[in-house]
Amino acid sequence: MDVPVLNMLARELSEQEREELRKKLMEESEKDAGFNIGATQEELHLEEQNIEEVWEKLSILTKLIIFLKSLFGIKKREDAIKQIILGRIRTRINKNNSLLLNYKEKRFTPLLYDNIKTIADIISAIRKKMLPVYTNKNADAFIALLTGFFIPEAQSHLESSGDIYKKEEKIRTESPSLNFQDIKKTIKKELSSAIDESFSYIPPKARVNMQDCTGFFYYTKALIDFSFPPLLSFWGHAGANQTIMWDNKELQLLLVELVNILYSTEKVPPLSYFRILATFIHNLEIGKNPEIKGHNEIYAELVGLFSELQEKAHELPLLEIVRYITENPSYMPSIHFGGEDWLARTKRYWREKFDTDFKDFVAYKEKEDLYQRMCEITGVKTLLDIKNYSNATGQDYTGKHALSLMFLKTFGETIFFPKHVPTLKTIVLDGNFYKQDNKNKFTESYNILMGIKETIEQLEARFSDNGELGRIYNAITREIAMPVLKRKRLEVLFEQEEKKIEQWLVSVQNAASTMGKVLGGILWGKSGEAYDTLSNLDDLDIKNHRLFKPNLAETQRTIAIMAGYLKESLEIENKQ
């Protein structure tokens, strides 16, 4: 099988487990699962569907009796033949189990309830296993995974075509003058065409396999969607201890609906279908349920459940019972059509995947560009780390607002406190504002910005090895080995902390933005404008050897840029 599909299936498995899975999938791809749950030719009794054919096979004496009854108006010929077929059906039901129906009183027996309840329990167990697969997103992913297994050439082409970073590198090499906007357009166009190119040719055998697998997938969905409680409720609270009349039209409709679904499938997938399904279910649940069984155990359970369902479906003559109680011997279960849209759903999956990957790529490049601009303004090569929170140390958990916090920490330590605080303190101590409102805004913003260092130190203390969150963090990383589950637990742990961090970052960004406006007003504001100057600005400049205004201009420029960068950072982080 192709490597990309194996990687998608087995991302949480060891190398040995991956190799074992690959071998099993290859072996089972040629093996029929053997689940013939639908009605067999023998059970359908197609020879009884044509009245004329039945008539031809009747004995001369029987034909004579029917003719005479018809002649004297006792019973129509068609009705007589119908009664003969119903008699045969009754014989077959009794041969299977004579205790299912009470023919004299036209009642279902408790034994029929037991049998239907058993089928309901099996399907309920299947539902519990498979329900998560049937959300639109997961169903598309599973069908796309099947497609990749049966059409490995398409999967390989999609995987290689979807490597956006390689595309970008190739475009930059071939067209170094292209700007990022044009590069994005080129990549987007290539991703769109790659999907149709990948499926320009589909091998006939692969098409049949996909039709069979997807048809069975839809058949299973119809099974687990059937509601048994309304049907079983006709037996009342006494359940298996009670008989019920079978001439109830609502009851008959429910039985017909069940038979239409249960005996309808003609699609039998290979065993590899169940292996892929089991591993897919395992991957879905692994981050949610620490007690989830291994993919081999899930596979065994699925195969076991469908084997039980097959055995029970053919053991119970439910099709014959429906024909008999509705007095419709020609009734046939609806053929279950489904799965023809497997290619459309596969393409939809890849379009959505490419769209998501492209958005992530753009966000990454924007973040990368912002990171570089943050480094440039703070004069460093790399931003300072927040231990156990930011990704600079390769921890198991990367905080949502790592970039924002790293930038603020670096900005505070390299620029703000050593270079700009002295200038701001001069305004605090000696600045004479014309407007009290501007003074209040300056003071409030100043206090928030001055708290950057202390707040980050407190945060780092909480995340440190001896801190409140750090101790819990270390305990989780020690106790949970599974990366997906570990990451999930850490995300839950830090959820409330992330909300507090974001609130604080927003307050800092607002304070920096306001400070930039107030300082801009002090430098260039005019009377009557929202942000005006200080009455003693020139005096402060003279007092500080004509350095106050240049220093203030640099402080205003830097803080305004910081506010803009922090806003960009928060927007990027909230998209993730």
Side-chain angles (χ1 to χ4, degrees):
M1 74 178 292
D2 86 302
V3 175
V5 169
L6 183 62
N7 288 340
M8 291 170 72
L9 275 175
R11 60 180 181 266
E12 301 298 336
L13 304 182
S14 67
E15 286 299 321
Q16 183 179 348
E17 289 173 321
R18 286 160 64 90
E19 180 60 20
E20 289 175 359
L21 177 60
R22 187 193 69 81
K23 288 180 179 178
K24 287 175 181 175
L25 283 170
M26 293 304 296
E27 292 171 2
E28 292 167 352
S29 63
E30 301 298 326
K31 293 181 181 178
D32 192 301
F35 299 132
N36 186 13
I37 300 173
T40 64
Q41 294 296 309
E42 183 182 351
E43 290 167 335
L44 290 173
H45 290 282
L46 298 176
E47 72 280 359
E48 294 177 350
Q49 298 302 304
N50 189 311
I51 287 180
E52 294 306 320
E53 288 185 15
V54 175
W55 170 261
E56 289 298 324
K57 294 180 180 179
L58 294 176
S59 67
I60 296 175
L61 178 60
T62 303
K63 288 179 180 180
L64 179 60
I65 294 171
I66 292 173
F67 172 74
L68 291 173
K69 286 183 178 181
S70 175
L71 182 65
F72 291 104
I74 298 173
K75 184 177 288 188
K76 292 181 180 179
R77 173 176 171 271
E78 290 77 11
D79 291 341
I81 297 173
K82 177 181 172 181
Q83 289 302 314
I84 289 173
I85 298 173
L86 288 172
R88 293 176 181 176
I89 291 172
R90 174 172 172 170
T91 300
R92 291 196 293 266
I93 293 172
N94 286 336
K95 185 177 179 182
N96 181 287
N97 194 320
S98 61
L99 300 177
L100 295 171
L101 304 181
N102 182 334
Y103 298 96
K104 185 177 180 180
E105 298 181 10
K106 294 186 176 181
R107 301 180 76 90
F108 289 143
T109 69
L111 187 59
L112 182 61
Y113 172 92
D114 289 341
N115 280 269
I116 295 176
K117 181 67 168 58
T118 299
I119 290 175
D121 291 342
I122 295 170
I123 293 175
S124 176
I126 294 172
R127 180 187 300 110
K128 186 176 180 181
K129 288 285 179 193
M130 292 193 61
L131 198 58
V133 183
Y134 284 105
T135 64
N136 278 338
K137 184 178 179 181
N138 289 340
D140 283 355
F142 176 65
I143 291 170
L145 197 57
L146 287 171
T147 304
F149 176 70
F150 290 112
I151 315 176
E153 301 82 4
Q155 179 77 19
S156 295
H157 185 264
L158 286 164
E159 289 284 345
S160 60
S161 300
D163 192 332
I164 298 175
Y165 293 92
K166 279 189 178 180
K167 283 184 181 297
E168 183 207 14
E169 184 181 351
K170 182 172 181 288
I171 293 169
R172 287 191 185 279
T173 302
E174 295 174 352
S175 307
S177 61
L178 274 185
N179 61 37
F180 187 58
Q181 291 301 320
D182 290 333
I183 290 173
K184 286 197 297 183
K185 289 178 183 177
T186 304
I187 292 173
K188 191 79 171 172
K189 184 178 178 181
E190 289 182 4
L191 289 175
S192 180
S193 62
I195 296 173
D196 289 329
E197 290 171 2
S198 298
F199 297 104
S200 58
Y201 172 72
I202 301 172
K205 185 178 179 182
R207 192 180 292 274
V208 171
N209 280 331
M210 280 306 302
Q211 183 70 45
D212 288 350
C213 287
T214 314
F216 192 82
F217 183 66
Y218 286 171
Y219 163 73
T220 307
K221 178 65 164 63
L223 270 183
I224 67 174
D225 281 347
F226 181 79
S227 181
F228 280 93
L231 174 58
L232 296 173
S233 68
F234 280 96
W235 273 265
H237 296 296
N241 298 318
Q242 182 171 308
T243 63
I244 57 171
M245 299 293 292
W246 71 49
D247 59 357
N248 184 301
K249 292 300 179 184
E250 187 178 351
L251 170 61
Q252 290 183 3
L253 285 173
L254 287 170
L255 277 173
V256 169
E257 182 184 352
L258 175 58
V259 170
N260 272 339
I261 297 170
L262 186 60
Y263 296 102
S264 63
T265 183
E266 292 182 336
K267 308 297 182 185
V268 182
L271 272 172
S272 53
Y273 167 88
F274 293 95
R275 182 75 61 184
I276 294 171
L277 176 60
T279 312
F280 186 81
I281 291 172
H282 179 263
N283 287 349
L284 279 181
E285 296 297 314
I286 196 168
K288 304 174 186 176
N289 181 9
E291 305 299 325
I292 185 70
K293 296 179 180 178
H295 61 94
N296 285 326
E297 288 82 357
I298 296 173
Y299 167 80
E301 288 181 358
L302 284 171
V303 171
L305 286 169
F306 279 100
S307 295
E308 286 181 52
L309 182 61
Q310 173 188 243
E311 181 181 346
K312 200 64 189 175
H314 294 299
E315 178 185 304
L316 180 66
L318 207 51
L319 172 57
E320 299 278 40
I321 289 172
V322 165
R323 284 172 170 171
Y324 188 82
I325 66 168
T326 59
E327 297 183 1
N328 182 10
S330 62
Y331 162 75
M332 294 284 285
S334 302
I335 300 299
H336 183 74
F337 293 105
E340 295 87 355
D341 62 346
W342 65 268
L343 183 56
R345 294 193 73 162
T346 297
K347 287 183 176 182
R348 181 171 69 184
Y349 166 80
W350 281 103
R351 276 195 298 272
E352 291 179 357
K353 184 181 187 304
F354 282 170
D355 284 346
T356 300
D357 290 348
F358 183 75
K359 288 176 184 176
D360 290 344
F361 162 76
V362 171
Y364 176 81
K365 299 304 289 188
E366 289 175 348
K367 193 172 183 178
E368 186 179 56
D369 174 67
L370 179 58
Y371 185 93
Q372 290 303 317
R373 285 184 281 137
M374 287 174 169
C375 287
E376 286 173 10
I377 195 173
T378 53
V380 298
K381 290 184 178 180
T382 57
L383 299 178
L384 298 174
D385 180 35
I386 308 292
K387 189 176 181 184
N388 285 349
Y389 184 85
S390 63
N391 60 2
T393 53
Q395 300 294 331
D396 294 294
Y397 177 79
T398 300
K400 177 181 177 181
H401 297 294
L403 179 60
S404 295
L405 286 173
M406 291 164 68
F407 172 55
L408 273 188
K409 181 180 180 180
T410 308
F411 179 82
E413 292 190 15
T414 60
I415 298 179
F416 182 70
F417 289 104
K419 295 181 180 180
H420 300 321
V421 166
T423 302
L424 295 175
K425 277 188 176 180
T426 299
I427 299 175
V428 172
L429 296 172
D430 301 319
N432 294 325
F433 286 85
Y434 283 109
K435 295 179 181 178
Q436 183 63 37
D437 183 51
N438 285 345
K439 182 177 182 179
N440 293 340
K441 288 179 180 178
F442 174 86
T443 303
E444 183 180 351
S445 299
Y446 174 81
N447 290 335
I448 292 173
L449 295 176
M450 288 298 289
I452 289 174
K453 183 177 181 181
E454 182 181 356
T455 302
I456 290 179
E457 285 176 350
Q458 290 173 353
L459 182 66
E460 287 189 302
R462 284 169 59 75
F463 277 98
S464 69
D465 292 342
N466 295 321
E468 176 189 351
L469 294 174
R471 288 195 300 271
I472 302 174
Y473 170 90
N474 289 329
I476 291 174
T477 54
R478 282 195 307 269
E479 294 168 8
I480 303 176
M482 197 176 293
V484 175
L485 186 56
K486 184 191 300 184
R487 191 161 53 249
K488 188 73 175 177
R489 288 285 296 276
L490 290 171
E491 286 173 359
V492 172
L493 167 65
F494 295 137
E495 183 178 5
Q496 291 303 315
E497 196 69 25
E498 293 287 14
K499 290 179 181 178
K500 294 177 185 176
I501 291 171
E502 183 172 352
Q503 289 173 355
W504 177 70
L505 288 170
V506 169
S507 72
V508 172
Q509 195 279 326
N510 288 335
S513 178
T514 301
M515 180 64 80
K517 293 173 184 176
V518 173
L519 296 182
I522 292 173
L523 286 164
W524 308 293
K526 296 178 182 178
S527 177
E529 293 180 346
Y531 297 99
D532 55 10
T533 187
L534 299 175
S535 63
N536 61 339
L537 178 61
D538 289 334
D539 293 339
L540 293 176
D541 194 39
I542 294 170
K543 184 179 177 180
N544 289 277
H545 310 290
R546 298 291 181 182
L547 295 176
F548 181 71
K549 283 186 180 180
N551 289 342
L552 184 59
E554 179 61 19
T555 299
Q556 188 279 335
R557 184 189 74 85
T558 307
I559 290 178
I561 291 173
M562 183 272 270
Y565 286 178
L566 189 54
K567 184 179 180 181
E568 278 188 66
S569 181
L570 285 167
E571 288 174 353
I572 291 172
E573 289 163 347
N574 285 323
K575 286 179 186 176
Q576 296 174 341

